[in-house]
Amino acid sequence: MLACAMGAAKAADLPGKFEGVTIDAKLIGGQQYEKLYERIGEWEKATGAKVNILSKKNHFELDKEIKSDIATGGLTWCVGSNHSSFAPQYPDIYADLFGLIPSEEVAKFVLAVIDASTLDGKLVMLPRAQFDVSALYFQKSLYQDEAKKTEFKAKYGYDLAPPDTWAQVSDQAEFFAAPPNFYGTQFAGKEEAINGRFYEMLVAEGGEYLDNDGRPAFNSDAGVRALEWFVKLYKDKAVPPGTTNYLWDDLGQGFASGSIAVNLDWPGWASFFNDPKSSKVAGNVGVKVQPAGSSGKRTGWSGHHGFSVTESCADKEAAASLVWWLTNEDSQKLESAAGPLPTRSAVWDFNIKAAEGDAYKTEVLQAFQEAAKHAFPVPQTAEWIEISNAVYPELQAAILGDKTSKEALDAAAEKATGILEDAGKL
């Protein structure tokens, strides 16, 4: 099918020639995403085309902008950043890349990631080297301090070691915290970020977000336990007071500042944390598989980033060429060198071999390979982001002490149910 698809480029023809074409793009911005965009100039030189970046924002803001474009008929751009959590909301606006990217190129990606990028038979985005599942970063020196080991054992009754359960994270965060200059841990406290963290903690506590009938089920005993983990940390001042306004860049900068003991975070920060130019904890960073909840299951909220071509694009072949360029083997080697996980099989093999002799890189790869074994996606419903937007203020209300956890979750479940009913899902 791919070989015969009209407009599908031949691998030998990539990146192609598109003299005089300008591709308007809307891209995700942020520290861990920027390095890749340096390759756009190379693509322009190779193809004769130009790229006009209309906006560069975090994906929460980008999502709002895309929805505004759809509502106002302003979807005139060609290439956009996409994400597996956001893509189900608007599959109709994106072209099928199975008809634009050679089959032999698609086959070079990890099959599971291609499957997750395919909606109703359409490949709506090509994955970049940004497969996301979180592992635990920690300051190694804290666990090597003999006085702290003795004090911790006396207080909590077990040996101080990098945590393997979320109950241990809670104990250690409380133990290490010395506000206002040092905190035990932190979390992103708004938008889909806090809903996603709550979701994975819920799963680790043995709960489910939506039941088998697609009905909200997170206002359960497991849900209360999951939310109370966040509530207790905030109440005990084991996290920064501004954490309910944090997003991912805030967390990365926070851990790099040296003021956080342990930090659940994405692979894209690995290099940044260990670089003395950007991080005060460089040389003192340990990484291990994410902890487990009371059910024995580890957290593992996962997803991946990619690039899409809009159906309204006048130059789909040129746009697809750019998307291929930003996700090809050289691009994935460049991007994953800083820590993000690749989505091309050959780049995984390349990175493992390249890490030989580098203890930190090897530790990072091993930790995230193990973390990936426990990865799970968000509930596969187009209303996930809309539900997140309704749920997260309720989670914040509980964390800030304005509601009990049960009150907040009941209110959130009622809102989520209304959204699904309005969408005809219930």
Side-chain angles (χ1 to χ4, degrees), residues 48-59:
K50 295 293 181 184
V51 177
N52 178 32
I53 299 176
L54 299 176
S55 59
K56 196 187 289 184
K57 301 176 178 179
N58 71 54
H59 215 119

Side-chain angles (χ1 to χ4, degrees), residues 133-138 162-166 168-169 200 262-265 286-293 296-300 362-375:
V133 64
S134 294
L136 199 71
Y137 296 90
F138 57 91
D164 195 54
T165 70
W166 284 109
Q168 291 171 358
V169 171
E200 64 179 338
V262 297
N263 180 49
L264 183 72
D265 221 325
V287 195
K288 65 169 295 182
V289 67
Q290 67 272 35
K297 186 176 180 66
R298 297 186 186 276
T299 52
T362 298
E363 181 179 353
V364 168
L365 283 170
Q366 289 176 343
F368 279 101
Q369 276 190 308
E370 185 64 24
K373 295 177 184 177
H374 307 281

